[in-house]
Every structure is written in structure tokens, then in C-alpha cells.
Amino acid sequence: MIAPRLSRGLCLLVGLGLLAGACSPKPAATTTPTQSPSAGAVSPTVTVSTAQPPTPSASPTPAPTPARTSTSTALPTPTGPNPGRPAATAPARSTPAGAAVSLPKLGTYVYDLSGTTQSPLLGIAQPYQPGATLTIDVDETNPQAGGTEVGFRGTTSQDQVQTTTKQLYQGSRVVLTLTNLTFLGLASYDCSYTPPPEILPIPLQAVTVPTQSWSGAECAGSLQLTVQGPETATAAGQPWSVWRVHSVAHYVAQSSVDVTLDTTSLFSPALGMAVTADASTSGKVAGSPFSSHQITSLKSHP
């Protein structure tokens, strides 16, 4: 999430992609109906008491056959702890259950790209040309203590910018650990994040993460993150179950870069990447203003 394309790295990737394979998602809580079942559950120990029908052989003297209305052989269906009422049904969840997130596969993810861009070199806003693309290469995975580090490299067919991003997939979240932002022919900036900000919860769930901040010799900044879902989106010729991820990042480096990035992406937990995104970036690098509005949609993937 560093200047213009870091953000794409932050939200596009993660979808920010993340986890499921190498990190173990939190399992959904389960209950075992043994001792004290919740409402709506049928206890395995529930029994139904019924009146015993009279047996003719047990009568000491002949007697008229009693009416059968009280000796029906159909047993009432068990209804749980309160047999006088119908079994309760579990209420619908007010929020979706968490979703496991897959590590993105190694390879190249290509996105159709539209919008406008203003580079710090030209200083003039220009539309992306028809057929423009954003390419994200997932080029490394490194298991280590505490999780798996995944490396991403993002470029476009028009901007003279390259972003390298590293994210650590842990058991309960994905964090941003390192970025390099290079404006070709102008400058290059590294940032090691201390402490590393969370860019996705694991498992994926609707949540607003309190504002996070980091500060170090290389860079400083803050990040706001909100996740909502699930919903459905269509990209690369197929439907995807996605979660909406919105982030606002402010990034400052070496008194030369000051950038604000506002990104909304639709992230697929199954793919481990975003399938669409809308990102607006504005700021200055070496005193020169730049901005971009990037709208991306997945075109192909490994």
C-alpha cells in the first residue's frame, strides 16, 4: 500500500488475498448436543411418555371393548425440552459467517484497466488507452515462523511505476510487511512497516478495523480498513463470491512522498485476489503532484 500502486497491491492483492492454505482459518464455533442443548436442538436423551393401551388378556372379567380414541398407536414426534410447543428453529444470522481465504497461486493475474492517470513527470492527467491492463505477478511464497510470506509485483501497460509488495499470511490475519515503489527514471522508495498493518482478517468477515498507524526511518502512515459481504460479482467470464474491502491509506516517505489512496475492491476468498477494484490516488513525489483513478476487472488468472 505505498503510493499509487502500493494501494493496488494492498487492495488488489488482497484482493487482498489471503490465506486458507498456509494459514489455518478460525473454524466456525460448533455445539455438541449432549448435556444442555440450545433452543431448537433435539436432545438425544429426550423421551416421550404415552399412556399404555389396555390389553384384553389382562382383564379379569370380560368387558365391552373400550373406545379406541385414547389408545392411538401413533407416537407424538419428539419436540425437544418443551414438548408442548413446536420445535424452535435457529434464527437467521444477522451477519454472514466468516469465509476461509486461499493463498493466491503463483503466476500472473491480468486486469482490464480504465480511468485516468497523472504522472509526476508529465503533470497532465491522461485517460488509460483502450486495451490498457494492470498485471500482478505473484512471484514468491516463503514459509516462515508465524505464517507464509507472499511477494507481489504490480505494473501497468501505461504508467511508469512499479510496485513490489510483501504480505505475511498469519493464522488470524494478513499483514503488510514491505513495499518498494519505483517511479521509473525518477525515484525509488522502500518501506518496512513497523508495526505491520492488518489488511485482511482471517477468516474473512464483516468488520471495521480500528485505524492503524506505523512509523519508522523509511516511512510513516495510517490505514483504515472495512470489510463487508458476501456478495456476487462477475469477472473473467464467470461469477465469484466476493467480499467488499474498503481501505483509506495515507503514506509518507523520506519527506519526498505524500500519498492518500482510497480503494474499494471485491475480493474473492477462493481466488485469494480481488476480481474488481476502484482506486483513487493523489499526492506528491519530489514536489511534483500526481494522481490516478484506476478501475480494474480480472481478465485472466493462473
Side-chain angles (χ1 to χ4, degrees):
M1 169 230 63
I2 207 171
R5 198 95 333 151
L6 179 188
S7 83
R8 177 67 50 208
L10 179 147
C11 271
L12 215 305
L13 303 185
V14 189
L16 303 240
L18 316 312
L19 180 149
C23 309
S24 33
K26 295 178 180 177
T30 58
T31 58
T32 303
T34 52
Q35 297 180 345
S36 181
S38 58
V42 178
S43 169
T45 61
V46 170
T47 59
V48 178
S49 176
T50 59
Q52 183 67 31
T55 303
S57 60
S59 298
T61 59
T65 303
R68 295 284 180 175
T69 55
S70 63
T71 59
S72 172
T73 57
L75 295 179
T77 302
T79 57
N82 192 348
R85 303 173 59 186
T89 56
R93 292 176 180 269
S94 57
T95 57
V101 180
S102 299
L103 279 174
K105 293 181 180 179
L106 292 174
T108 299
Y109 298 75
V110 180
Y111 295 80
D112 289 322
L113 173 63
S114 61
T116 59
T117 180
Q118 174 190 1
S119 76
L121 291 177
L122 299 178
I124 300 174
Q126 297 179 324
Y128 286 105
Q129 298 301 310
T133 57
L134 166 68
T135 299
I136 295 179
D137 291 306
V138 180
D139 52 15
E140 62 176 319
T141 58
N142 301 307
Q144 56 185 254
T148 298
E149 185 179 68
V150 180
F152 305 85
R153 189 181 305 274
T155 58
T156 76
S157 55
Q158 186 168 330
D159 295 316
Q160 298 299 302
V161 180
Q162 177 177 283
T163 299
T164 299
T165 305
K166 291 188 177 182
Q167 301 169 5
L168 182 62
Y169 292 66
Q170 301 175 324
S172 61
R173 61 179 187 161
V174 179
V175 298
L176 184 64
T177 58
L178 176 70
T179 57
N180 170 266
L181 177 67
T182 298
F183 294 90
L184 302 179
L186 181 61
S188 180
Y189 301 92
D190 289 323
C191 182
S192 297
Y193 293 84
T194 306
E198 176 180 345
I199 56 176
L200 271 188
I202 300 297
L204 204 56
Q205 56 191 295
V207 66
T208 296
V209 178
T211 300
Q212 306 167 83
S213 60
W214 62 90
S215 181
E218 298 173 317
C219 61
S222 62
L223 174 67
Q224 301 172 35
L225 178 69
T226 301
V227 180
Q228 297 176 316
E231 56 188 275
T232 301
T234 300
Q238 71 177 86
W240 302 86
S241 176
V242 297
W243 293 64
R244 187 174 296 269
V245 180
H246 178 230
S247 66
V248 178
H250 183 216
Y251 174 90
V252 178
Q254 304 171 8
S255 301
S256 297
V257 176
D258 192 320
V259 179
T260 297
L261 172 68
D262 190 319
T263 303
T264 298
S265 64
L266 297 182
F267 172 71
S268 165
L271 184 66
M273 300 283 283
V275 297
T276 69
D278 188 323
S280 296
T281 305
S282 62
K284 292 183 178 181
V285 56
S288 300
F290 71 91
S291 64
S292 70
H293 178 207
Q294 296 179 326
I295 302 171
T296 56
S297 180
L298 183 67
K299 181 177 182 180
S300 63
H301 58 91

